[in-house]
Amino acid sequence: MSAVSAPPAARPPAARPPATPPLSGPAFSSYPAEEVTWLLKDLSEVRLEAPTEEREEAVQSGGAHYAESLPVEYQPSPEYQALFQQALTVSARRVALAVGTVAETLVRERGRDLVLASLARAGTPVGVLIRRWLAFAHGLDTRHYTLSIVRGRGIDQVALRHLAAHHDPAHVVFVDGWTGKGAITRELADALAGTPFNPDLAVLADPGRCVRTYGTREDYLIPSACLNSTVSGLISRTVLRADLIGPDEFHGAKFYRELADADVSNDFLAVVAGHFTAVRAEAEAAAAQQATADRTPDWAGWAAVERISAEYGIDNVNLVKPGVGETTRVMLRRVPWRVLARRGAGADLDHVRLLADQRGVPVEEVDELPYSCVGLIHPRYSRGATGADGTAVNAENA
């Protein structure tokens, strides 16, 4: 009896195309189309924003997952905008060096047929910068995608299917901005277990010491952490909600077209890329040095977070956000309780101190902190645990 091919309906799930097409600028995001393809569903017309205090209470009570709604976009004051520009001026060369180091390491270890898959949304500007470095230093026209990963719910499987259908999974490199304690690193490894994708995450800064491909392990300010959508192509963080995202649809996000006047996404890229020529030799040398170094993750950051969680009576590592980038996120999106700053930390924390002052959050200087700073989310939050002006106060005093 001759073999009969299976009908289309019997094809494995990996062969199903997404029900929503990939997106690109300028229709979705302020990045040019060639810079990044967004494996996301456009939810721009859906009202998803909720007040920070309302979201925090719902998340901590178990009534909602953080990815089911969006925080109201923080609109920076003129003073804060000036701090961002100052931070960009001061740190652009350092960021460019980290970009070059990561990119050169990837070419050495993964070859030239790279496909970048950045984790939305903090990974997206970094993915664009790595793509630009590969074009600048190696003449490569590298494909770059952005897809969603959600703590506790894993990576977007529909986006993974799309990548596998169009590229060799062995060539795909997952990219993020920085590590905190390593929760997303673990989430990615778990999500990719048993797949042909390599779970080795590439980041600019790895203060959590939980990845082996990085530009530096110092905890310093990456200016794109200072802002939200206005430094990330005007795209929101991602949303995963059953009533909005079907089984064959990408995770969702919004395009904030109305914030175009405040958009500095492409300015950030241009300023950092402007240092590529100056740091090229140093980046190549750093990558060569890393090639012979022991870069095995020791997860020192996770151990520090567990210690801090116990010391401050929080008993929930998800409420401890270590590093400059994660602390900034706490100040912009969550209900902060306090900030721990390494004694003597300098200008990298100026914007954190300003945000803390604006929100009435104490900044406590401590010794022997493995990060520049750590943001603590209010551990027993309800709307009754904040003052009438919305600033965070101790629950015991509420």
Side-chain angles (χ1 to χ4, degrees):
M1 182 177 178
S2 62
V4 178
S5 60
R11 294 167 68 186
R16 291 199 309 270
T20 47
L23 303 168
S24 61
F28 187 83
S29 93
S30 60
Y31 292 134
E34 65 271 15
E35 297 275 26
V36 59
T37 297
W38 302 83
L39 302 183
L40 296 172
K41 178 182 179 180
D42 189 353
L43 299 179
S44 300
E45 305 308 315
V46 182
R47 182 173 178 81
L48 293 166
E49 292 77 12
T52 300
E53 292 76 18
E54 181 180 313
R55 292 182 77 248
E56 192 68 45
E57 184 173 31
V59 169
Q60 290 203 29
S61 68
H65 190 277
Y66 76 88
E68 294 176 356
S69 65
L70 293 172
V72 176
E73 281 279 312
Y74 169 76
Q75 297 305 301
S77 65
E79 184 181 6
Y80 189 83
Q81 291 180 51
L83 272 181
F84 168 80
Q85 293 297 335
Q86 177 185 331
L88 180 56
T89 299
V90 170
S91 63
R93 186 188 188 281
R94 187 164 49 170
V95 173
L97 176 58
V99 170
T101 302
V102 170
E104 293 299 320
T105 298
L106 288 173
V107 171
R108 276 175 166 268
E109 298 185 350
R110 304 283 295 272
R112 295 168 61 88
D113 296 325
L114 299 169
V115 177
L116 302 175
S118 57
L119 304 181
R121 102 187 129 174
T124 308
V126 176
V128 175
L129 285 169
I130 292 175
R131 181 185 183 277
R132 289 192 179 189
W133 181 280
L134 294 172
F136 153 76
H138 299 277
L140 300 176
D141 184 12
T142 306
R143 290 301 304 270
H144 173 216
Y145 299 88
T146 279
L147 71 162
S148 169
I149 188 169
V150 176
R151 180 172 51 79
R153 296 191 177 179
I155 201 164
D156 186 340
Q157 293 295 321
V158 179
L160 281 188
R161 293 207 314 258
H162 182 86
L163 289 174
H166 292 83
H167 304 281
D168 182 345
H171 296 159
V172 176
V173 176
F174 294 92
V175 175
D176 208 353
W178 56 85
T179 63
K181 56 182 171 286
I184 290 298
T185 306
R186 290 185 172 185
E187 192 80 44
L188 182 66
D190 290 344
L192 298 180
T195 77
F197 291 97
N198 186 333
D200 186 21
L201 184 64
V203 300
L204 291 192
D206 177 38
R209 301 182 65 86
C210 57
V211 302
R212 63 179 307 279
T213 305
Y214 53 84
T216 180
R217 277 181 164 160
E218 294 179 27
D219 182 25
Y220 69 88
L221 175 62
I222 299 171
S224 58
C226 289
L227 299 171
N228 288 320
S229 69
T230 53
V231 78
S232 303
L234 297 180
I235 301 302
S236 74
R237 64 177 306 165
T238 57
V239 173
L240 180 58
R241 216 169 74 191
D243 61 324
L244 297 173
I245 308 299
D248 288 320
E249 294 182 323
F250 299 128
H251 294 187
K254 297 183 71 166
F255 176 24
Y256 290 119
R257 298 172 180 84
E258 66 274 18
L259 299 181
D261 288 346
D263 188 24
V264 294
S265 303
N266 288 292
D267 295 339
F268 167 72
L269 298 174
V271 172
V272 173
H275 290 270
F276 282 177
T277 299
V279 303
R280 181 173 182 175
E282 192 175 348
E284 291 171 345
Q289 188 276 327
Q290 284 195 8
T292 59
D294 181 4
R295 293 176 283 144
T296 305
D298 61 16
W299 295 86
W302 193 281
V305 165
E306 289 181 327
R307 175 180 58 78
I308 292 168
S309 177
E311 183 178 337
Y312 284 83
I314 296 173
D315 298 324
N316 182 351
V317 293
N318 290 330
L319 300 182
V320 180
K321 302 295 186 180
V324 182
E326 292 302 300
T327 300
T328 304
R329 286 177 164 184
V330 170
M331 305 305 294
L332 294 178
R333 308 177 193 170
R334 304 294 295 268
V335 175
W337 186 39
R338 65 182 68 187
V339 173
L340 310 181
R342 186 167 59 207
R343 196 176 307 280
D348 272 352
L349 301 190
D350 283 352
H351 73 293
V352 171
R353 295 188 181 96
L354 175 60
L355 289 172
D357 182 65
Q358 290 177 346
R359 300 200 63 181
V361 176
V363 178
E364 178 182 332
E365 290 204 348
V366 297
D367 297 310
E368 299 181 1
L369 195 66
Y371 299 89
S372 295
C373 60
V374 175
L376 304 183
I377 297 171
H378 203 293
R380 290 168 294 281
Y381 180 75
S382 69
R383 273 168 283 186
T386 60
D389 60 355
T391 56
V393 294
N394 247 319
E396 294 89 337
N397 300 326

